[in-house]
Amino acid sequence: MQTDDAASKILEATKNSGLHYKNSIPMIASENILSPLVREACNSDLHGRYAEGLPGKRYYQGCEDFDTIEEIGIELAKSVFNCNFANIQSTSGTNSNLGVLKALTKPGETITAVSTADGGHISHARMGAVGMRGLNLVTYPWNEERMEPDIDASAKLIREIKPNLVLFGQSVFLFPTPLKELSDAAHEVGAKVMYDGAHVMGLIAGNQFQNPLSEGADVMTGSSHKTFPGPQGGFVLSNSDDPKFIKRLNNGIFPGVCSSYHLHHVAGKAIALSEFEKFGEDYAKDIISNAKALANALAELGFDVLAEERGYTASHQVLTRHGSVDSGAGKEAASILEKSGIITNMNMLPGDTKAMKPSGLRLGTPELTRVGMGVSEMEDVAKFFSRALIDKENPQTIKNDVKEFKSNYQTVHYCFEPGPAYPGL
Ligand code: DSN
């Protein structure tokens, strides 16, 4: 292949990145891999095309076939998420959040959300989308034992400050949000309720976590590429039958925060939705049973796993603490694990105040589940953790063993045509 230096380096690094994941144990809770059919849609000619507006009401010619794709995708999203309205255009979870903030708030209004220190997403923060919309942010009192907003104190807060929008959902997300109780308080003061399900979209669609739209959320946003295993992108969903509200949501996305959106990813999302209809419930169940098995195995080996009293987790995530708060021990652990072939991320846990020196790790099971690992493999994974972090074995020896172990898990499952998980590598 004829390339210049830069292109060669980029292609080589791209291949190496793929090989890194292929030969590792990937446990970033927000990541996943594509099925062969979704990958085909994402690699199609659609990647360079434009379509602004909604199906049948476009600003460009040439959209007839794409209209078919988006119409099918919308119907599938409504069916998979059991709701009346779906917009599948947004290009990420944050982009969905920005669109909804544009639709439902005005600068200077007040929003309540989970603080980033307690696991809230960056787009819920002043430094992110909430700040960009010029909103006053008030964060919920947090129950550290239960790893959720303190129900009584948060309901009291909502009744006192009367926010315009009440936002729930986190990036560190072990347990369902007590939504019914808190939505009642929000609706009493005339606030709309928004639930950011980015991390748990697949668990919700698979009926294994909570059903925010029937527990009081007026709108749910989320990513299409975490526990919901599609291409990178977002969703905006609602059960409202108010056409004005729906129009505001659609307008929040276009022309609010997207002009063109990523048509190839919309096609990929639509295929992922159709695969999820058939395989999603099993996938969601397996992700959660793997997370529970991993948490139990790590705890038995002596790791400090959070939320023991609640059974450690009811989601795709497990949290472990590796030293005292703000010690940076989580960062150190993530680095040792990566040298040992295990990809994780450091994370702030209750008490930590420094994002770059946290004491914790956040571990996710979506990708391991997708390549066919089950409960017994979670015990194998926990043993690799123990060798790296407790026994302090030579990381390279562990990395070689991880590569051999992972060579047995190279097929993507829960899709129409199981195929190579890391194709072309
Ligand atoms: N920051 C991402 C995560 O890993 O949770 C979500 O956007």
Side-chain angles (χ1 to χ4, degrees), residues 75 99 149 246 308 327 347 396:
E75 289 312 309
I246 296 304
E308 183 182 358
S327 61
N347 221 101
Q396 189 57 49

Side-chain angles (χ1 to χ4, degrees), residues 28-31 92-94 119-123 170-172 196 198-199 223 225-226 316-317 345 347 362:
I28 306 279
S30 49
E31 292 184 350
S92 69
T94 291
H121 188 245
I122 201 163
S123 62
Q170 299 110 245
S171 282
V172 176
D196 180 348
H199 261 271
S223 311
H225 51 268
K226 294 185 168 86
H316 60 306
Q317 296 185 6
N345 64 272
N347 221 101
R362 184 187 67 170

